[in-house]
Amino acid sequence: MSTIGLAPSIKIHSPSTTDDVTRSTHSDDISRSPTSFGDTPIVQRPLSFQAFHREELSNSSITTPIFSPNPALKDDDVSSMRTLEDVRDQVAEKLAVRAIRKLKVVDNTRVAVTLTLAKKEDAEFLRMVAIHLRRILAEKDHLMAVATTGVGDTSLVVCGSSPAQVHRASLLVASKFIGRIQGLYDEGTLWIARVHGVDWTPYDEAALWDVMQKSARNLIDPSQPPPGSCSIAEILAAARTRLQRLTARQAFEELQDTSLIMPVLLVDIRPQAQRLQHGSIPGSLIIERNVLEWRFDPRSLDGRLDIATRYDLRIIVICQEGYTSSLAAASLQDLGLLNATDIIGGFKAWKEEGLPFELESSDGAV
């Protein structure tokens, strides 16, 4: 008896013995052999084969778990699919990562601003973003602003590691967006607000960056003056070094001196309340401090006095006690009126010297 090997699993006997064809089946490989007539084999997978399922796939957001015939997989695992809340949380995490990529460092605090399209219940969505930011930057000082954009009302969240910085940022945001901000939640390190108005503009994003950077700066010690600043005592002393100050008596005599070639004016810069309370000097020119420079600047065309057309005017400034008058006279010298000066002790010294004064009943300010 001869045999012909057409396939590993098929034996054909010689027709000399029988016309029947005996087929030998290997049950551990296949249940039925393929033939030339197109029968499809039924493949039995080896038990070592591991079907793909969610735990074996990547973390990509586009990956969808598929059915696994693994008998060890429970029904609950097969039916577990991502919910809408899972998707929102993943989007929130991605937005937090995007914000972190834009970080700037201001006085060791990491600041960032990022905008995203408006979403349903966007205030709660931004809270989720803030939670992820806190988690990622848990051990670092940070101050972040995330806002939704779109037509109509949108939301804004400011979160940070310092409640003081978040509070400063909320105040500055309210100032930057006058009439558009409505605070919703204030939880110390988290502040959420509703923003009224139309679509966000490039100014809005730039304004948020400005707020974040200014709010993150370290506060200056209030007991230490900033570089280049001066106390009022220093400013007053510097002003007086430029003046040839007069006593009340000297001023009175100079006003009556007919030998002087330049006009001499006594200018009372006290407010009306002080003149009514303490009295005024007859013949003095009443010009309150807030308009003094405009009245005497020869270059000024708005409000200048007719007499103030020359730079050699002798202007003697008087105030109540001789402090404000020194600063005012120095300011007039800055305009080029180099003959300006003031009276030591002010109106109080004038009155004590017994020089003419009278009580006012009405205002005569120029």
Side-chain angles (χ1 to χ4, degrees):
M1 180 175 60
S2 62
T3 60
I4 302 175
L6 299 179
S9 58
I10 300 175
K11 290 182 180 181
I12 303 178
H13 295 272
S14 171
S16 62
T17 58
T18 179
D19 292 335
D20 296 331
V21 178
T22 302
R23 297 180 181 179
S24 176
T25 304
H26 300 276
S27 59
D28 58 338
D29 290 329
I30 59 174
S31 60
R32 186 177 180 185
S33 299
T35 70
S36 60
F37 297 98
D39 291 342
T40 301
I42 301 174
V43 179
Q44 184 69 35
R45 299 291 186 185
L47 295 178
S48 59
F49 177 81
Q50 296 294 327
F52 289 100
H53 52 86
R54 184 173 187 176
E55 289 74 16
E56 293 177 347
L57 296 175
S58 71
N59 292 326
S60 171
S61 62
I62 62 172
T63 302
T64 303
I66 62 174
F67 175 75
S68 171
N70 190 336
L73 193 63
K74 299 179 180 180
D75 292 340
D76 291 343
D77 295 329
V78 173
S79 61
S80 63
M81 304 290 286
R82 291 190 305 165
T83 65
L84 179 59
E85 193 65 20
D86 294 333
V87 175
R88 284 170 59 85
D89 183 70
Q90 187 174 31
V91 174
E93 183 177 18
K94 288 186 175 181
L95 187 59
V97 172
R98 192 177 80 187
I100 292 172
R101 289 174 180 167
K102 301 167 66 177
L103 282 177
K104 296 181 181 180
V105 179
V106 179
D107 288 349
N108 296 321
T109 298
R110 291 155 181 80
V111 301
V113 172
T114 190
L115 306 179
T116 184
L117 293 176
K119 298 172 175 62
K120 184 179 180 181
E121 299 177 353
D122 53 2
E124 288 304 315
F125 173 74
L126 293 183
R127 183 190 291 274
M128 297 168 65
V129 177
I131 291 172
H132 285 294
L133 287 170
R134 288 176 178 175
R135 175 180 57 81
I136 299 172
L137 299 171
E139 299 180 358
K140 298 178 177 64
D141 293 335
H142 63 278
L143 184 64
M144 306 281 184
V146 184
T148 55
T149 64
V151 178
D153 291 351
T154 57
S155 295
L156 166 68
V157 62
V158 176
C159 63
S161 54
S162 167
Q165 289 181 344
V166 173
H167 181 64
R168 287 201 298 269
S170 67
L171 295 177
L172 288 177
V173 165
S175 297
K176 289 284 186 182
F177 303 98
I178 290 290
R180 295 175 58 190
I181 295 292
Q182 176 189 0
L184 299 178
Y185 309 103
D186 187 355
E187 302 173 5
T189 56
L190 178 67
W191 181 74
I192 301 178
R194 178 69 66 191
V195 183
H196 303 293
V198 200
D199 196 9
W200 284 74
T201 65
Y203 163 81
D204 296 328
E205 185 173 3
L208 281 179
W209 272 109
D210 182 61
V211 167
M212 294 300 105
Q213 293 180 81
K214 288 179 178 177
S215 301
R217 291 195 179 102
N218 293 331
L219 296 179
I220 299 175
D221 185 350
S223 64
Q224 298 297 321
S229 64
C230 300
S231 67
I232 186 58
E234 293 172 325
I235 295 174
L236 182 62
R240 286 175 172 172
T241 60
R242 303 161 54 188
L243 306 176
Q244 294 180 340
R245 306 185 73 204
L246 304 174
T247 64
R249 178 61 64 179
Q250 288 172 331
F252 179 73
E253 292 174 355
E254 191 168 314
L255 287 167
Q256 295 182 323
D257 189 349
T258 58
S259 64
L260 298 176
I261 59 173
M262 78 284 289
V264 182
L265 298 171
L266 179 63
V267 178
D268 190 344
I269 63 170
R270 293 175 300 158
Q272 181 183 12
Q274 284 188 330
R275 297 196 307 271
L276 291 174
Q277 180 180 357
H278 301 286
S280 60
I281 302 173
S284 64
L285 187 58
I286 299 174
I287 302 177
E288 294 191 2
R289 178 68 189 89
N290 62 321
V291 295
L292 179 67
E293 289 83 355
W294 283 267
R295 296 293 182 265
F296 282 105
D297 183 7
R299 301 179 183 87
S300 176
L301 301 178
D302 184 15
R304 185 193 65 194
L305 298 176
D306 291 338
I307 198 175
T309 56
R310 47 194 294 174
Y311 287 93
D312 64 344
L313 280 178
R314 177 65 162 170
I315 302 173
I316 303 174
V317 184
I318 189 169
C319 66
Q320 185 59 32
E321 295 185 353
Y323 294 94
T324 306
S325 59
S326 295
L327 299 177
S331 179
L332 291 177
Q333 287 200 4
D334 290 338
L335 296 176
L337 301 166
L338 302 181
N339 291 326
T341 188
D342 74 323
I343 295 177
I344 300 171
F347 180 79
K348 182 179 179 182
W350 179 280
K351 192 174 180 179
E352 290 174 351
E353 190 68 24
L355 298 174
F357 77 95
E358 61 184 9
L359 296 177
E360 276 195 7
S361 58
S362 62
D363 187 21
V366 176

